[in-house]
Amino acid sequence: MRLAATFAVGLLVAGCGAPALTEADYSDLVAKRSAAYAAEAEELRSTHLFQLEQVVNDLVRDLEPDVLEEAVVSETGRRSASLFAVLGDAVQRYVNDLEAMEAPGSLLDAHLELVDSYRLSIKDIGATIEALSTAASFEAIDAAVGGSAFNDAQYRVDAACNRLEEKLLAEQVAADLNCRDG
């Protein structure tokens, strides 16, 4: 009797899980999530650049040339660190969304590759934020950005994104995942 009750509970629990997504459902969902992430990331970047330009213009207007470069470097580093922090948060939320999806078997490898590539891109973002926060020159800012995992992983992210789009197309459920051409 106990075995029968355990089996019945097991069937009920198994039946309560979310059904696996079809290729078409997955395509629609991943396209929506990628569009939301792309829009958020672009808004963060454009807002950052606009605000940085305004602050630099104010510094140019208000400061003497002998202290101007140091102030601009400091502000650029600080604001760039802030941008990396909010972009890292946006990527993490996108990764969480992707991980919550149950990709169909035919798309699973490409889906997991995309998740892994984004995860890799933010793996050491704290070090980049620290390097930007303490940068004392434009060269140091360039080195922090250029040497970041975020920057280094971008080609992998692009390739994984394009591969998933190709897999979706092969399944005849094409979707625009807002991939950069890699």
Side-chain angles (χ1 to χ4, degrees):
M1 180 70 168
R2 179 175 271 176
L3 184 58
T6 303
F7 183 70
V9 169
L11 285 176
L12 281 173
V13 170
C16 292
L21 294 172
T22 66
E23 282 84 358
D25 292 340
Y26 172 83
S27 175
D28 291 344
L29 186 58
V30 76
K32 273 188 215 170
R33 302 264 169 91
S34 67
Y37 165 70
E40 180 181 6
E42 182 53 36
E43 176 66 25
L44 292 169
R45 282 186 202 100
S46 63
T47 299
H48 165 77
L49 290 174
F50 176 75
Q51 290 173 345
L52 181 59
E53 183 179 356
Q54 286 184 315
V55 167
V56 168
N57 287 338
D58 291 346
L59 291 171
V60 167
R61 184 188 65 236
D62 296 341
L63 296 178
E64 297 298 320
D66 58 327
V67 294
L68 179 60
E69 183 175 351
E70 182 180 336
V72 171
V73 165
S74 176
E75 196 64 33
T76 302
R78 187 179 67 73
R79 287 179 179 270
S80 295
S82 177
L83 175 62
F84 267 78
V86 296
L87 282 174
D89 289 343
V91 170
Q92 185 60 60
R93 283 192 309 280
Y94 183 45
V95 166
N96 292 345
D97 284 347
L98 290 173
E99 288 177 330
M101 290 182 213
E102 198 166 322
S106 61
L107 302 169
L108 185 59
D109 288 346
H111 173 86
L112 293 175
E113 181 184 3
L114 183 62
V115 169
D116 288 344
S117 67
Y118 273 111
R119 196 179 295 128
L120 179 65
S121 76
I122 59 172
K123 181 179 173 220
D124 295 321
I125 202 159
T128 302
I129 292 168
E130 177 65 26
L132 288 167
S133 296
T134 59
S137 67
F138 288 119
E139 291 80 13
I141 292 170
D142 288 344
V145 172
S148 69
F150 195 83
N151 186 57
D152 290 345
Q154 191 58 57
Y155 291 111
R156 185 173 176 184
V157 168
D158 296 341
C161 187
N162 284 305
R163 250 187 299 285
L164 183 54
E165 275 189 345
E166 291 167 8
K167 287 278 200 173
L168 288 164
L169 184 59
E171 294 294 327
Q172 299 179 354
V173 289
D176 178 4
L177 304 183
N178 298 285
C179 304
R180 291 184 343 162
D181 292 328

